[in-house]
Amino acid sequence: MDDDARRQVLRRIAIEGGAPAASTLTWLSQCSFHPPLVMIGIQTNSLVHEAVAKSGAVAVNFLAADQKDIAERFFKPPAFESGRLHGLSFEPGPMTGSPLLLDLPAWIETRVAERVERGDHDVFVCEVVGAGIRRPDFAPLLLAMTPWTYGG
Amino acid sequence: MDDDARRQVLRRIAIEGGAPAASTLTWLSQCSFHPPLVMIGIQTNSLVHEAVAKSGAVAVNFLAADQKDIAERFFKPPAFESGRLHGLSFEPGPMTGSPLLLDLPAWIETRVAERVERGDHDVFVCEVVGAGIRRPDFAPLLLAMTPWTYGG
């Protein structure tokens, strides 16, 4: 991979008992090419943690450079109202059912492979089982993420 | 933590049977505040992987904005000659003995808490047991890393 892949703003979405939970992520990195794996740190006492632990699946939605306002919205606790997440429409991911935000330019779907419980955040090591790009020419909010488009 | 912490160029150093091994890291993120933990993806068939697995300790040396040439040197296989790593002097870390590069502006020392073996890189979840800053005003090669200075 190139060096840029580690600098990213990410968004994570998960289903909790049918009610989607979503949050902006800051602690995420790829951690394997074959199979494609990512590692994600998720606060143990958060709704999103509960959702990921229950569902065993996480979708990561990537932000475009002009979507800083959306990142900020998702730093607040998950809000699921009128079928939207913080006011944004989504569709179920084809591989996991995890919500994919329609306004965001790219996503990956992952399944939890392993979980490490050592601190105030757990580490979820997740296999990338799907990926897609809605806007092929998008400029990512932080930088490029070539390896994240694997498997899509 | 602030958003900047995830964008970093890092350097990892470890001891292998007395001979230091060192490499530039790209897959690293903080993953807990309390205790302070980091997660690192390390290629399973690398010398550095062997060193970390054996020693159970890793020091991460941070690069300043004007040290891109050093980052490039450490993308090559570890070179330990005349008591130097790729030509750079180091000292043993006070907590772990892992080598700290004297020319680099800041470091953390960590001990491996857990290891996940799932892909072509292993995930090492490591507790930060020491930290130091040589140049308090340094501009990091990529961005700031406030939380990494915890525990120092």
Side-chain angles (χ1 to χ4, degrees):
Chain A
M1 71 169 224
D2 63 44
D3 298 3
D4 298 339
R6 76 195 104 80
R7 294 166 280 176
Q8 299 160 14
V9 169
L10 295 167
R11 173 160 318 253
R12 198 255 297 124
I13 304 290
I15 295 283
E16 180 194 4
S23 166
T24 294
L25 285 177
T26 52
W27 290 346
L28 186 149
S29 168
Q30 187 170 4
C31 64
S32 171
F33 291 116
H34 306 289
L37 300 173
V38 295
M39 51 187 179
I40 312 176
I42 303 178
Q43 198 175 335
T44 55
N45 64 358
S46 65
L47 281 175
V48 163
H49 180 279
E50 200 179 329
V52 174
K54 275 186 188 164
S55 70
V58 187
V60 179
N61 292 259
F62 297 100
L63 292 152
D66 59 357
Q67 295 182 319
K68 206 166 183 176
D69 59 315
I70 298 182
E72 281 158 14
R73 254 190 268 181
F74 281 81
F75 273 120
K76 295 172 194 154
F80 178 55
E81 282 179 348
S82 311
R84 289 166 170 251
L85 284 161
H86 286 296
L88 297 180
S89 302
F90 62 90
E91 62 185 0
M95 296 300 291
T96 63
S98 296
L100 307 176
L101 296 170
L102 301 183
D103 290 339
L104 270 61
W107 80 84
I108 56 171
E109 290 183 272
T110 78
R111 288 209 181 92
V112 176
E114 199 129 5
R115 173 178 166 190
V116 177
E117 300 172 76
R118 285 279 180 171
D120 50 24
H121 291 57
D122 283 351
V123 173
F124 290 89
V125 177
C126 303
E127 181 162 357
V128 180
V129 295
I133 300 183
R134 296 180 201 280
R135 277 197 257 158
D137 59 343
F138 83 102
L141 181 51
L142 284 181
L143 271 184
M145 42 201 7
T146 316
W148 295 84
T149 59
Y150 271 26
Chain B
M1 72 169 223
D2 62 46
D3 298 3
D4 298 338
R6 77 195 103 81
R7 294 166 282 175
Q8 299 160 15
V9 169
L10 296 166
R11 173 163 316 252
R12 198 254 299 122
I13 304 291
I15 295 283
E16 181 194 1
S23 166
T24 295
L25 285 177
T26 51
W27 290 347
L28 186 150
S29 169
Q30 186 170 6
C31 65
S32 171
F33 291 117
H34 306 288
L37 299 173
V38 297
M39 51 188 179
I40 312 176
I42 302 178
Q43 198 176 335
T44 55
N45 64 358
S46 65
L47 281 175
V48 163
H49 180 278
E50 200 179 329
V52 174
K54 276 186 187 164
S55 69
V58 187
V60 179
N61 293 258
F62 298 100
L63 292 152
D66 58 357
Q67 295 182 319
K68 205 166 184 178
D69 59 314
I70 298 182
E72 279 158 15
R73 252 189 269 181
F74 281 81
F75 273 118
K76 295 171 195 155
F80 178 55
E81 282 180 348
S82 311
R84 288 166 170 250
L85 284 160
H86 285 296
L88 297 179
S89 302
F90 62 90
E91 62 185 1
M95 298 299 292
T96 63
S98 295
L100 309 176
L101 296 171
L102 302 183
D103 291 339
L104 270 60
W107 79 84
I108 56 172
E109 291 183 88
T110 78
R111 289 210 180 89
V112 176
E114 200 128 5
R115 175 177 164 189
V116 177
E117 300 170 76
R118 284 280 181 172
D120 50 24
H121 291 57
D122 283 351
V123 174
F124 291 90
V125 178
C126 303
E127 181 161 356
V128 180
V129 295
I133 300 183
R134 296 179 202 279
R135 275 197 257 158
D137 60 342
F138 83 102
L141 182 50
L142 285 182
L143 270 183
M145 42 198 10
T146 316
W148 294 85
T149 60
Y150 273 26

